[in-house]
Amino acid sequence: FSSLSPSMEERPPGTMRTLRGKERAVGLGMATISQRLVESGEKARLKELLRTKLIECGWQDDLRSYCLEVIQRIGEDKVTLEDLVQEVTPRGRATVPDAIKAELLERINKLLLAMSQPREDRMEHVLQNTDHGWMDGWM
């Protein structure tokens, strides 16, 4: 775990919860977590939530406009998909609003916590922490 758990001095501000979530994920097994998320439909729900939030905040429209700028700058006849992906991806990642990242991280941490609990405790935890049905059906 030493590579996943840098000392407090090495951690950027605000990453404590992220690293703890990763440590829990490693304890459960990333393949198991991924499989459970897919089987339960949570991965799809998280992706849909992200897509909806990005559309609502205007991120998608801003990135689409930036793509058009890149195409015009490079030239419509010269630009390749690889050029576009290489240029747009860093900007897309950097401009996702912090509030959206925080919300998704919180939901993922709740899922990891629920998955790491014994089955009988899990149902009680899910019922106490269900937020507008976002975890419905994962059991």
Side-chain angles (χ1 to χ4, degrees), residues 7 14 27 34 38 60 63-64 72 84 88 93 95 106 108 112 118 124 134:
S7 69
S34 181
V38 170
Q60 186 181 42
L63 207 59
R64 183 178 290 123
Q72 289 175 350
L84 200 54
V88 174
R93 288 182 178 155
T95 58
E106 183 65 30
I108 291 167
L112 290 176
E124 183 176 329
W134 73 272

Side-chain angles (χ1 to χ4, degrees), residues 14 16 29 42 47-48 75-76 93 106 108 117-118 130-131:
M16 175 68 84
E42 280 310 311
K47 286 173 114 177
E48 182 60 25
E76 193 173 328
R93 288 182 178 155
E106 183 65 30
I108 291 167
Q117 294 180 1
T130 298
D131 178 25

Side-chain angles (χ1 to χ4, degrees), residues 5 26 31 33-34 38-39 57 68 70 73 89 93 98 104 117 125 130 139:
S5 303
V26 169
I33 291 169
S34 181
V38 170
E39 288 173 356
C57 75
L68 293 173
V70 171
R73 187 182 71 227
T89 298
R93 288 182 178 155
D98 289 340
L104 284 173
Q117 294 180 1
H125 175 80
T130 298
M139 293 293 293

Side-chain angles (χ1 to χ4, degrees), residues 1-124:
F1 283 94
S2 61
S3 64
L4 291 176
S5 303
S7 69
M8 290 300 292
E9 298 81 37
E10 296 170 347
R11 292 180 180 172
T15 60
M16 175 68 84
R17 295 174 69 187
T18 303
L19 292 173
R20 285 186 183 150
K22 287 181 183 177
E23 290 166 1
R24 281 196 301 267
V26 169
L28 286 172
M30 291 301 290
T32 301
I33 291 169
S34 181
Q35 180 181 358
R36 285 186 188 175
L37 290 174
V38 170
E39 288 173 356
S40 68
E42 280 310 311
K43 184 173 182 176
R45 282 189 277 279
L46 288 168
K47 286 173 114 177
E48 182 60 25
L49 173 68
L50 176 60
R51 188 183 75 74
T52 300
K53 294 285 185 180
L54 292 175
I55 290 169
E56 287 173 357
C57 75
W59 178 90
Q60 186 181 42
D61 291 335
D62 291 343
L63 207 59
R64 183 178 290 123
S65 295
Y66 183 63
C67 285
L68 293 173
E69 290 173 25
V70 171
I71 291 168
Q72 289 175 350
R73 187 182 71 227
I74 294 175
E76 193 173 328
D77 297 336
K78 297 178 184 177
V79 71
T80 66
L81 179 59
E82 185 178 321
D83 293 335
L84 200 54
V85 169
Q86 226 171 18
E87 179 107 14
V88 174
T89 298
R91 181 176 177 144
R93 288 182 178 155
T95 58
V96 173
D98 289 340
I100 293 174
K101 292 178 191 177
E103 181 177 352
L104 284 173
L105 180 60
E106 183 65 30
R107 289 179 184 225
I108 291 167
N109 280 332
K110 283 181 180 180
L111 281 168
L112 290 176
L113 180 62
M115 286 179 169
S116 68
Q117 294 180 1
R119 182 135 181 99
E120 56 275 1
D121 294 340
R122 198 180 309 159
M123 187 57 159
E124 183 176 329

